[in-house]
Amino acid sequence: MFITSNYKKEYLNQIMEIVADSLGEFYGPDLYENLSRNWRDGFIVSTYKNIVVGFILGVIPASTESRILMFAVKKEFRGNGIGTMLMNSFIERSANIGVKKISLEVRVSNKIAISLYIHFGFTFSPQIIPKYYSNGEDGYQMIKYL
Ligand SMILES: CC(C)(COP(=O)(O)OP(=O)(O)OC[C@H]1O[C@@H](n2cnc3c(N)ncnc32)[C@H](O)[C@@H]1OP(=O)(O)O)[C@@H](O)C(=O)NCCC(=O)NCCS
């Protein structure tokens, strides 16, 4: 059974591994610690038998817009509904404090994530963001209105 909870420091190394494997990016530990301190509700982790299998990390300010910064599920656990569960929690937490708009960025080549976002009601912003990613790939901004 997958358990959804808030970020804890003991998850840090596993999350950094998932970010490297699944998103091809590296950010230092401070980034995760600071974001979890400032945006506790936006950092949601899914575990299975105490192993981190996926997470969503975003900011949910007490204003009208929240933003998803990172979202990934460990390769061998994909296709089990974990991503859907995490996204549902993020949307619910945003809605609960009165957020009206959720935004995120996604690689233009990332068909699986884009199909998940469309399924959740996200739509594309008109402009592509040139060279948004560290390997030079362009990004789409996608937005969901609540
Ligand atoms: C995007 C991601 C987080 C989805 O996680 P997941 O746990 O596999 O998602 P779910 O099992 O809840 O699947 C949700 C939807 O994603 C899509 N999807 C998932 N796996 C898919 C696959 N292999 N092929 C096509 N679509 C797929 C489907 O639309 C699916 O909906 P369905 O089950 O109704 O068909 C995961 O694929 C991932 O970590 N990808 C690499 C990192 C990444 O791209 N993150 C997003 C960066 S913007």
Side-chain angles (χ1 to χ4, degrees):
M1 192 169 107
F2 302 112
I3 295 176
T4 306
S5 62
N6 282 339
Y7 169 82
K8 295 181 200 148
K9 193 165 187 167
E10 69 200 64
Y11 297 152
L12 177 62
N13 289 342
Q14 294 181 73
I15 285 173
M16 287 178 71
E17 254 174 54
I18 295 174
V19 171
D21 284 354
S22 298
L23 300 174
E25 301 286 353
F26 172 83
Y27 308 103
D30 286 355
L31 178 98
Y32 301 93
E33 289 294 315
N34 289 337
L35 286 168
S36 70
R37 211 171 301 122
N38 291 327
W39 308 108
R40 183 176 159 73
D41 281 349
F43 201 165
I44 311 167
V45 180
S46 176
T47 55
Y48 176 71
K49 295 182 176 170
N50 249 352
I51 296 169
V52 176
V53 293
F55 74 99
I56 192 163
L57 168 53
V59 298
I60 308 181
S63 72
T64 54
E65 181 168 349
S66 63
R67 179 156 181 229
I68 295 170
L69 304 174
M70 288 182 232
F71 174 41
V73 169
K74 213 172 155 88
K75 281 187 186 128
E76 55 272 40
F77 286 91
R78 288 182 196 157
N80 288 304
I82 298 167
T84 298
M85 229 155 46
L86 289 165
M87 182 59 82
N88 273 328
S89 293
F90 190 89
I91 293 170
E92 190 183 309
R93 289 176 180 208
S94 296
N96 283 347
I97 63 156
V99 162
K100 298 285 177 242
K101 176 181 173 187
I102 302 177
S103 65
L104 57 81
E105 285 77 28
V106 59
R107 290 176 190 271
V108 293
S109 65
N110 195 346
K111 295 199 166 61
I112 291 179
I114 290 171
S115 81
L116 185 154
Y117 298 145
I118 289 173
H119 178 82
F120 271 94
F122 283 84
T123 55
F124 295 101
S125 292
Q127 304 290 337
I128 284 184
I129 313 166
K131 298 188 171 48
Y132 184 72
Y133 292 94
S134 55
N135 69 348
E137 186 170 350
D138 296 346
Y140 290 121
Q141 186 187 51
M142 296 186 79
I143 291 182
K144 175 181 170 63
Y145 291 95
L146 304 180

